[in-house]
mmCIF file of all heavy atoms in Angstrom:
data_model
loop_
_atom_site.group_PDB
_atom_site.id
_atom_site.type_symbol
_atom_site.label_atom_id
_atom_site.label_comp_id
_atom_site.label_asym_id
_atom_site.label_seq_id
_atom_site.Cartn_x
_atom_site.Cartn_y
_atom_site.Cartn_z
ATOM 1 N N VAL A 1 0.855 -1.190 0.000
ATOM 2 C CA VAL A 1 0.000 0.000 0.000
ATOM 3 C C VAL A 1 0.887 1.236 0.000
ATOM 4 O O VAL A 1 1.688 1.435 0.917
ATOM 5 C CB VAL A 1 -0.956 0.061 1.217
ATOM 6 C CG1 VAL A 1 -1.761 1.356 1.205
ATOM 7 C CG2 VAL A 1 -1.877 -1.147 1.250
ATOM 8 N N LYS A 2 0.744 2.036 -1.037
ATOM 9 C CA LYS A 2 1.404 3.336 -1.095
ATOM 10 C C LYS A 2 0.310 4.384 -1.204
ATOM 11 O O LYS A 2 -0.627 4.240 -1.992
ATOM 12 C CB LYS A 2 2.352 3.430 -2.283
ATOM 13 C CG LYS A 2 3.629 2.615 -2.090
ATOM 14 C CD LYS A 2 4.639 2.908 -3.174
ATOM 15 C CE LYS A 2 5.920 2.135 -2.996
ATOM 16 N NZ LYS A 2 6.913 2.792 -2.166
ATOM 17 N N ALA A 3 0.425 5.432 -0.400
ATOM 18 C CA ALA A 3 -0.552 6.518 -0.403
ATOM 19 C C ALA A 3 0.164 7.813 -0.039
ATOM 20 O O ALA A 3 1.328 7.798 0.386
ATOM 21 C CB ALA A 3 -1.676 6.231 0.595
ATOM 22 N N LEU A 4 -0.543 8.921 -0.206
ATOM 23 C CA LEU A 4 0.061 10.213 0.105
ATOM 24 C C LEU A 4 0.219 10.428 1.602
ATOM 25 O O LEU A 4 1.210 10.981 2.051
ATOM 26 C CB LEU A 4 -0.787 11.340 -0.481
ATOM 27 C CG LEU A 4 -0.875 11.403 -1.997
ATOM 28 C CD1 LEU A 4 -1.790 12.542 -2.430
ATOM 29 C CD2 LEU A 4 0.512 11.560 -2.618
ATOM 30 N N ASN A 5 -0.811 10.009 2.385
ATOM 31 C CA ASN A 5 -0.777 10.249 3.822
ATOM 32 C C ASN A 5 -1.935 9.510 4.472
ATOM 33 O O ASN A 5 -2.650 8.771 3.806
ATOM 34 C CB ASN A 5 -0.825 11.751 4.123
ATOM 35 C CG ASN A 5 0.012 12.136 5.326
ATOM 36 O OD1 ASN A 5 0.012 11.429 6.332
ATOM 37 N ND2 ASN A 5 0.737 13.239 5.219
ATOM 38 N N THR A 6 -2.115 9.760 5.761
ATOM 39 C CA THR A 6 -3.240 9.190 6.502
ATOM 40 C C THR A 6 -4.186 10.304 6.925
ATOM 41 O O THR A 6 -3.788 11.469 7.040
ATOM 42 C CB THR A 6 -2.759 8.445 7.760
ATOM 43 O OG1 THR A 6 -2.048 9.361 8.597
ATOM 44 C CG2 THR A 6 -1.865 7.278 7.404
ATOM 45 N N TYR A 7 -5.450 9.914 7.147
ATOM 46 C CA TYR A 7 -6.471 10.838 7.642
ATOM 47 C C TYR A 7 -7.571 9.986 8.261
ATOM 48 O O TYR A 7 -8.023 9.026 7.628
ATOM 49 C CB TYR A 7 -7.010 11.701 6.495
ATOM 50 C CG TYR A 7 -7.711 12.954 6.957
ATOM 51 C CD1 TYR A 7 -6.984 14.033 7.442
ATOM 52 C CD2 TYR A 7 -9.093 13.054 6.911
ATOM 53 C CE1 TYR A 7 -7.616 15.192 7.863
ATOM 54 C CE2 TYR A 7 -9.736 14.203 7.323
ATOM 55 C CZ TYR A 7 -8.986 15.271 7.798
ATOM 56 O OH TYR A 7 -9.619 16.423 8.227
ATOM 57 N N PRO A 8 -8.037 10.288 9.465
ATOM 58 C CA PRO A 8 -8.951 9.374 10.157
ATOM 59 C C PRO A 8 -10.398 9.359 9.663
ATOM 60 O O PRO A 8 -11.147 8.442 9.992
ATOM 61 C CB PRO A 8 -8.887 9.852 11.611
ATOM 62 C CG PRO A 8 -8.471 11.280 11.531
ATOM 63 C CD PRO A 8 -7.598 11.392 10.314
ATOM 64 N N LEU A 9 -10.812 10.315 8.863
ATOM 65 C CA LEU A 9 -12.209 10.404 8.428
ATOM 66 C C LEU A 9 -12.489 9.461 7.265
ATOM 67 O O LEU A 9 -11.732 9.425 6.291
ATOM 68 C CB LEU A 9 -12.533 11.842 8.007
ATOM 69 C CG LEU A 9 -13.974 12.124 7.580
ATOM 70 C CD1 LEU A 9 -14.926 11.957 8.753
ATOM 71 C CD2 LEU A 9 -14.078 13.524 6.992
ATOM 72 N N LYS A 10 -13.613 8.713 7.343
ATOM 73 C CA LYS A 10 -13.994 7.834 6.226
ATOM 74 C C LYS A 10 -14.538 8.668 5.071
ATOM 75 O O LYS A 10 -14.920 9.824 5.233
ATOM 76 C CB LYS A 10 -15.009 6.786 6.671
ATOM 77 C CG LYS A 10 -16.364 7.342 7.044
ATOM 78 C CD LYS A 10 -17.276 6.227 7.499
ATOM 79 C CE LYS A 10 -18.640 6.795 7.914
ATOM 80 N NZ LYS A 10 -19.540 5.746 8.373
ATOM 81 N N SER A 11 -14.597 8.039 3.911
ATOM 82 C CA SER A 11 -15.042 8.738 2.706
ATOM 83 C C SER A 11 -16.560 8.738 2.597
ATOM 84 O O SER A 11 -17.271 8.054 3.338
ATOM 85 C CB SER A 11 -14.449 8.078 1.458
ATOM 86 O OG SER A 11 -15.166 6.897 1.154
ATOM 87 N N LEU A 12 -17.042 9.467 1.597
ATOM 88 C CA LEU A 12 -18.456 9.455 1.245
ATOM 89 C C LEU A 12 -18.785 8.140 0.553
ATOM 90 O O LEU A 12 -17.897 7.402 0.134
ATOM 91 C CB LEU A 12 -18.766 10.622 0.301
ATOM 92 C CG LEU A 12 -18.458 12.021 0.846
ATOM 93 C CD1 LEU A 12 -18.603 13.052 -0.252
ATOM 94 C CD2 LEU A 12 -19.355 12.338 2.026
ATOM 95 N N LYS A 13 -20.059 7.856 0.375
ATOM 96 C CA LYS A 13 -20.509 6.625 -0.287
ATOM 97 C C LYS A 13 -21.594 6.986 -1.305
ATOM 98 O O LYS A 13 -22.767 6.809 -1.074
ATOM 99 C CB LYS A 13 -21.080 5.628 0.737
ATOM 100 C CG LYS A 13 -20.176 5.338 1.920
ATOM 101 C CD LYS A 13 -19.018 4.457 1.537
ATOM 102 C CE LYS A 13 -18.260 3.982 2.747
ATOM 103 N NZ LYS A 13 -17.019 4.662 2.991
ATOM 104 N N ARG A 14 -21.167 7.524 -2.447
ATOM 105 C CA ARG A 14 -22.123 7.902 -3.493
ATOM 106 C C ARG A 14 -22.046 7.003 -4.720
ATOM 107 O O ARG A 14 -22.922 7.041 -5.570
ATOM 108 C CB ARG A 14 -21.876 9.351 -3.927
ATOM 109 C CG ARG A 14 -22.093 10.369 -2.807
ATOM 110 C CD ARG A 14 -21.767 11.744 -3.296
ATOM 111 N NE ARG A 14 -20.393 11.758 -3.788
ATOM 112 C CZ ARG A 14 -19.576 12.788 -3.753
ATOM 113 N NH1 ARG A 14 -19.990 13.923 -3.281
ATOM 114 N NH2 ARG A 14 -18.349 12.704 -4.213
ATOM 115 N N GLY A 15 -20.977 6.220 -4.822
ATOM 116 C CA GLY A 15 -20.836 5.304 -5.950
ATOM 117 C C GLY A 15 -20.403 5.976 -7.235
ATOM 118 O O GLY A 15 -20.591 5.429 -8.312
ATOM 119 N N LEU A 16 -19.774 7.154 -7.118
ATOM 120 C CA LEU A 16 -19.346 7.902 -8.307
ATOM 121 C C LEU A 16 -17.901 7.586 -8.657
ATOM 122 O O LEU A 16 -17.081 7.356 -7.776
ATOM 123 C CB LEU A 16 -19.499 9.399 -8.063
ATOM 124 C CG LEU A 16 -20.909 9.881 -7.692
ATOM 125 C CD1 LEU A 16 -20.885 11.372 -7.385
ATOM 126 C CD2 LEU A 16 -21.889 9.560 -8.805
ATOM 127 N N GLY A 17 -17.601 7.605 -9.952
ATOM 128 C CA GLY A 17 -16.226 7.417 -10.392
ATOM 129 C C GLY A 17 -16.161 6.597 -11.666
ATOM 130 O O GLY A 17 -17.185 6.192 -12.223
ATOM 131 N N ASP A 18 -14.933 6.376 -12.119
ATOM 132 C CA ASP A 18 -14.684 5.624 -13.348
ATOM 133 C C ASP A 18 -13.736 4.477 -13.064
ATOM 134 O O ASP A 18 -12.772 4.627 -12.311
ATOM 135 C CB ASP A 18 -14.065 6.531 -14.412
ATOM 136 C CG ASP A 18 -15.020 7.617 -14.860
ATOM 137 O OD1 ASP A 18 -16.110 7.275 -15.351
ATOM 138 O OD2 ASP A 18 -14.679 8.804 -14.703
ATOM 139 N N LYS A 19 -13.999 3.334 -13.716
ATOM 140 C CA LYS A 19 -13.170 2.137 -13.562
ATOM 141 C C LYS A 19 -12.397 1.862 -14.839
ATOM 142 O O LYS A 19 -12.917 2.022 -15.940
ATOM 143 C CB LYS A 19 -14.061 0.927 -13.271
ATOM 144 C CG LYS A 19 -14.766 0.969 -11.935
ATOM 145 C CD LYS A 19 -15.909 -0.020 -11.858
ATOM 146 C CE LYS A 19 -15.460 -1.399 -11.550
ATOM 147 N NZ LYS A 19 -16.591 -2.323 -11.281
ATOM 148 N N ASN A 20 -11.157 1.424 -14.642
ATOM 149 C CA ASN A 20 -10.299 0.952 -15.729
ATOM 150 C C ASN A 20 -10.204 1.912 -16.908
ATOM 151 O O ASN A 20 -10.416 1.542 -18.056
ATOM 152 C CB ASN A 20 -10.716 -0.461 -16.165
ATOM 153 C CG ASN A 20 -10.286 -1.481 -15.124
ATOM 154 O OD1 ASN A 20 -9.188 -1.393 -14.585
ATOM 155 N ND2 ASN A 20 -11.152 -2.411 -14.826
ATOM 156 N N ILE A 21 -9.865 3.153 -16.575
ATOM 157 C CA ILE A 21 -9.523 4.166 -17.574
ATOM 158 C C ILE A 21 -8.097 4.616 -17.281
ATOM 159 O O ILE A 21 -7.606 4.437 -16.165
ATOM 160 C CB ILE A 21 -10.487 5.380 -17.539
ATOM 161 C CG1 ILE A 21 -10.393 6.097 -16.183
ATOM 162 C CG2 ILE A 21 -11.913 4.955 -17.849
ATOM 163 C CD1 ILE A 21 -11.049 7.465 -16.152
ATOM 164 N N ALA A 22 -7.436 5.204 -18.246
ATOM 165 C CA ALA A 22 -6.099 5.766 -17.992
ATOM 166 C C ALA A 22 -6.243 6.937 -17.025
ATOM 167 O O ALA A 22 -7.141 7.767 -17.185
ATOM 168 C CB ALA A 22 -5.456 6.214 -19.294
ATOM 169 N N VAL A 23 -5.395 6.966 -16.006
ATOM 170 C CA VAL A 23 -5.381 8.069 -15.035
ATOM 171 C C VAL A 23 -3.977 8.647 -14.983
ATOM 172 O O VAL A 23 -2.991 7.948 -15.236
ATOM 173 C CB VAL A 23 -5.850 7.619 -13.632
ATOM 174 C CG1 VAL A 23 -7.308 7.168 -13.668
ATOM 175 C CG2 VAL A 23 -4.975 6.518 -13.053
ATOM 176 N N ARG A 24 -3.881 9.923 -14.651
ATOM 177 C CA ARG A 24 -2.575 10.580 -14.603
ATOM 178 C C ARG A 24 -2.409 11.353 -13.311
ATOM 179 O O ARG A 24 -3.239 12.194 -12.964
ATOM 180 C CB ARG A 24 -2.395 11.505 -15.801
ATOM 181 C CG ARG A 24 -1.012 12.160 -15.812
ATOM 182 C CD ARG A 24 -0.676 12.854 -17.120
ATOM 183 N NE ARG A 24 0.606 13.503 -17.041
ATOM 184 C CZ ARG A 24 1.780 12.916 -17.211
ATOM 185 N NH1 ARG A 24 1.830 11.640 -17.494
ATOM 186 N NH2 ARG A 24 2.907 13.581 -17.117
ATOM 187 N N PHE A 25 -1.317 11.059 -12.613
ATOM 188 C CA PHE A 25 -0.890 11.812 -11.437
ATOM 189 C C PHE A 25 0.575 11.484 -11.197
ATOM 190 O O PHE A 25 1.108 10.539 -11.784
ATOM 191 C CB PHE A 25 -1.770 11.516 -10.207
ATOM 192 C CG PHE A 25 -1.829 10.070 -9.801
ATOM 193 C CD1 PHE A 25 -0.857 9.495 -8.989
ATOM 194 C CD2 PHE A 25 -2.883 9.271 -10.224
ATOM 195 C CE1 PHE A 25 -0.923 8.162 -8.618
ATOM 196 C CE2 PHE A 25 -2.961 7.934 -9.849
ATOM 197 C CZ PHE A 25 -1.980 7.386 -9.041
ATOM 198 N N ALA A 26 1.233 12.260 -10.366
ATOM 199 C CA ALA A 26 2.644 12.040 -10.026
ATOM 200 C C ALA A 26 3.520 11.913 -11.279
ATOM 201 O O ALA A 26 4.438 11.105 -11.330
ATOM 202 C CB ALA A 26 2.800 10.823 -9.118
ATOM 203 N N GLU A 27 3.187 12.703 -12.309
ATOM 204 C CA GLU A 27 3.971 12.811 -13.543
ATOM 205 C C GLU A 27 3.942 11.568 -14.428
ATOM 206 O O GLU A 27 4.763 11.423 -15.325
ATOM 207 C CB GLU A 27 5.420 13.214 -13.228
ATOM 208 C CG GLU A 27 5.520 14.531 -12.476
ATOM 209 C CD GLU A 27 6.940 14.886 -12.077
ATOM 210 O OE1 GLU A 27 7.892 14.285 -12.604
ATOM 211 O OE2 GLU A 27 7.080 15.770 -11.222
ATOM 212 N N VAL A 28 2.987 10.645 -14.176
ATOM 213 C CA VAL A 28 2.901 9.402 -14.946
ATOM 214 C C VAL A 28 1.446 9.104 -15.286
ATOM 215 O O VAL A 28 0.557 9.339 -14.474
ATOM 216 C CB VAL A 28 3.513 8.226 -14.140
ATOM 217 C CG1 VAL A 28 3.177 6.885 -14.757
ATOM 218 C CG2 VAL A 28 5.019 8.378 -14.020
ATOM 219 N N THR A 29 1.229 8.568 -16.485
ATOM 220 C CA THR A 29 -0.078 8.031 -16.850
ATOM 221 C C THR A 29 -0.070 6.544 -16.541
ATOM 222 O O THR A 29 0.849 5.821 -16.939
ATOM 223 C CB THR A 29 -0.379 8.275 -18.341
ATOM 224 O OG1 THR A 29 -0.407 9.685 -18.569
ATOM 225 C CG2 THR A 29 -1.717 7.669 -18.741
ATOM 226 N N PHE A 30 -1.091 6.093 -15.825
ATOM 227 C CA PHE A 30 -1.260 4.688 -15.452
ATOM 228 C C PHE A 30 -2.375 4.131 -16.331
ATOM 229 O O PHE A 30 -3.520 4.569 -16.244
ATOM 230 C CB PHE A 30 -1.658 4.560 -13.982
ATOM 231 C CG PHE A 30 -0.658 5.130 -13.012
ATOM 232 C CD1 PHE A 30 -0.654 6.489 -12.719
ATOM 233 C CD2 PHE A 30 0.269 4.315 -12.384
ATOM 234 C CE1 PHE A 30 0.251 7.022 -11.810
ATOM 235 C CE2 PHE A 30 1.177 4.844 -11.478
ATOM 236 C CZ PHE A 30 1.169 6.207 -11.199
ATOM 237 N N THR A 31 -2.039 3.164 -17.161
ATOM 238 C CA THR A 31 -2.991 2.584 -18.096
ATOM 239 C C THR A 31 -3.300 1.153 -17.681
ATOM 240 O O THR A 31 -2.375 0.360 -17.448
ATOM 241 C CB THR A 31 -2.406 2.602 -19.523
ATOM 242 O OG1 THR A 31 -2.063 3.963 -19.850
ATOM 243 C CG2 THR A 31 -3.406 2.081 -20.529
#
């Protein structure tokens, strides 16, 4: 597990987002 940091609050639960698409962060595209 690699992540930016920790935070104790849980996330929202709306079911929004995209699966298995190219994403880009940290100067790299992850395909």
Side-chain angles (χ1 to χ4, degrees):
V1 177
K2 287 189 179 272
L4 295 178
N5 216 319
T6 59
Y7 199 74
L9 183 66
K10 67 181 178 181
S11 78
L12 301 171
K13 308 286 190 257
R14 297 177 303 211
L16 302 176
D18 294 301
K19 293 164 81 172
N20 286 319
I21 63 167
V23 296
R24 183 168 177 82
F25 58 84
E27 302 176 15
V28 167
T29 298
F30 300 83
T31 303

